[in-house]
Amino acid sequence: MSAPTVAPRRTDERPHDTESAEAPVRAGRGLRIVSWVAIVLIGVLLAALTAAIGGGTGPTDTPLDPTSTAASGSRALVRVLEQQGTDVDVVHDADRLGADPGTVFVDDSAGVLAPSVARRIARTVPDVVLVTTDSAVLEAFRTRATPAAQVESDDTVSTASCGIPAAGSARRVSTTGVAYSAHGSGVVRCAPTGTGSDRAWGLVQASTPAGQVTLVGTTGAFRNDSITTAGNAALALGLLGGDDRLAWYVPTAGSTDAAPSLGELAPLWVPSAIALLAAVAVAAGIWRGRRLGPLVVEQLPVVVRASETTEGRARLAARTRDRTHALDTLRIAAVRRLGRALGLPRSAHVDEVVRRVAAATGRPADAVGAVLVGGPATDDRSLVGGARALDELEHAVTRAVAGDAPRASRPTDHTTGPPQPEPPTDPRPGGRP
């Protein structure tokens, strides 16, 4: 097939095609710019609305917030304590607890308290009421307790026989909150949930170097929405109203009492290195994106030479080491060529091709079938051997079709007389004598 000739372009022709192709490109670029500007404006508007809505000073949803009147807050408990003569002092710094803080309620619901500050409180404060799920803080207070389960139900449980006086006087409290597993001697456990090996406790009391700590998992007894349920109020007032002064200690993230975060523990050069790597990644993305350039319009269909397609598929088969697929491809092509050489139609079954090849070459049909329809190629040697056998079989068929293959003579019948010359035969395979 000769290569198509391309007529030289006349020098007086104007590039109307180039101008018509650039117009849609400019229109598409303008549409993308407008889309990005709209997205940025929408994002700024949403950020402004979020700041306006969330910038109010309404009640927060922080659990056990002593100043919040929300359902999860504890403003109602603080008012009752103040009415009973207990001075409630909300502090966020352990240094403000003073030498005689009375009862200290450590509200570490956020889990930010540093274990070193917890050990200092355990050494200096005789009466601590603790709310936390941090294992390091629990170990610092020597509670011998670990969080076991989160209790979401509104069930109540009897505490009449509990060894904690405040729980015993409450007689029945809610179990909403956290349940702990506690072991060891000298630990008082109350408000059980679960059965058998799943048994956990909502109240745990243990000794500290300075006195005692009461771990409260039944935090529903302190909430505004459930303090009036069963004996929750009696439990809360008994735990927090035993002294004239109550220090409601709430450690906050980022303060000196908070445990250091991962960013604070990292060296000073790490944030700079991360920012530099991010800048490099953005620059590389822009560089690679600009390097690709605009899209090029290509006339279709594109003519690909058969040799390139064959070489590409061969490279894929070699890369994946799919020898069986490569040998099957050679077998299919050989079957088609042999059928065409023997005058068979394209729809001829492979069994028919095997029979005709065996008749033309004088080889057993089983041997021909083993070559054309064989087993898998397990290694390179079997692949090369299979390809060589196919090539040899095709040469044998070509010689047979051309009349170069020797023919077996008919046996002589000695009973009827002298041997007779053989009649001429049709050189074509399957021809009649």
Side-chain angles (χ1 to χ4, degrees):
M1 180 184 294
S2 61
T5 59
V6 180
R9 183 178 178 178
R10 296 176 54 188
T11 56
D12 57 348
E13 291 182 355
R14 299 185 63 184
H16 297 287
D17 296 340
T18 305
E19 295 179 357
S20 59
E22 290 180 352
V25 174
R26 289 194 297 267
R29 186 180 299 112
L31 181 60
R32 288 195 298 270
I33 293 175
V34 172
S35 301
W36 280 109
V37 171
I39 291 173
V40 172
L41 291 178
I42 292 174
V44 172
L45 179 61
L46 291 176
L49 291 176
T50 303
I53 295 174
T57 59
T60 64
D61 292 335
T62 304
L64 306 184
D65 185 358
T67 61
S68 174
T69 58
S72 60
S74 300
R75 179 59 180 169
L77 174 59
V78 173
R79 286 186 176 181
V80 175
L81 288 171
E82 291 175 344
Q83 291 174 0
Q84 291 186 352
T86 301
D87 185 14
V88 180
D89 186 13
V90 180
V91 297
H92 300 279
D93 189 354
D95 294 335
R96 294 185 54 189
L97 294 177
D100 186 16
T103 302
V104 175
F105 176 39
V106 180
D107 179 14
D108 188 32
S109 301
V112 299
L113 181 61
S116 58
V117 178
R119 284 190 291 269
R120 186 178 66 182
I121 295 175
R123 290 193 305 265
T124 57
V125 179
D127 188 10
V128 178
V129 179
L130 175 63
V131 173
T132 186
T133 55
D134 192 342
S135 300
V137 175
L138 293 173
E139 183 179 358
F141 277 102
R142 301 181 181 180
T143 59
R144 300 183 182 90
T146 56
Q150 189 78 24
V151 182
E152 301 292 345
S153 65
D154 297 331
D155 297 338
T156 60
V157 64
S158 175
T159 56
S161 59
C162 179
I164 302 175
S169 61
R171 304 191 68 81
R172 197 168 191 87
V173 297
S174 300
T175 59
T176 306
V178 180
Y180 300 89
S181 60
H183 306 282
S185 59
V187 177
V188 181
R189 298 176 291 269
C190 299
T193 57
T195 58
S197 60
D198 297 333
R199 175 66 61 92
W201 311 89
L203 295 171
V204 177
Q205 191 174 75
S207 300
T208 61
Q212 67 181 12
V213 57
T214 304
L215 177 61
V216 179
T218 58
T219 54
F222 296 169
R223 292 166 52 104
N224 293 331
D225 58 348
S226 57
I227 191 173
T228 58
T229 302
N232 290 343
L235 174 64
L237 296 176
L239 291 175
L240 303 180
D243 294 328
D244 294 337
R245 182 170 182 265
L246 171 65
W248 194 298
Y249 172 53
V250 184
T252 57
S255 63
T256 57
D257 295 348
S261 61
L262 183 60
E264 296 173 349
L265 294 175
L268 297 178
W269 56 268
V270 171
S272 302
I274 294 176
L276 180 61
L277 291 176
V280 171
V282 172
I286 296 175
W287 166 60
R288 294 294 295 180
R290 291 177 60 84
R291 185 172 179 270
L292 294 176
L295 296 177
V296 177
V297 179
E298 185 176 7
Q299 298 295 332
L300 296 178
V302 177
V303 179
V304 181
R305 292 183 298 175
S307 59
E308 295 181 2
T309 305
T310 304
E311 291 176 1
R313 293 181 177 178
R315 292 192 185 97
L316 288 176
R319 184 178 302 174
T320 59
R321 299 183 181 273
D322 192 359
R323 304 179 184 89
T324 302
H325 185 270
L327 184 56
D328 287 342
T329 303
L330 297 178
R331 288 168 175 165
I332 294 173
V335 169
R336 291 176 179 174
R337 289 193 297 269
L338 291 173
R340 185 168 55 249
L342 295 173
L344 296 175
R346 293 178 59 89
S347 60
H349 195 269
V350 64
D351 294 339
E352 180 65 21
V353 177
V354 170
R355 287 192 294 269
R356 295 296 294 273
V357 170
T361 59
R363 300 185 180 185
D366 295 340
V368 176
V371 175
L372 295 179
V373 190
T378 57
D379 52 14
D380 293 339
R381 178 175 299 179
S382 60
L383 175 61
V384 174
R388 187 175 300 166
L390 289 172
D391 186 61
E392 182 182 353
L393 184 61
E394 287 193 59
H395 281 82
V397 172
T398 302
R399 290 193 303 269
V401 171
D404 297 337
R407 290 287 183 170
S409 60
R410 291 186 177 181
T412 303
D413 190 356
H414 298 282
T415 60
T416 59
Q420 301 294 328
E422 295 182 359
T425 58
D426 190 349
R428 293 177 298 176
R432 294 183 178 180

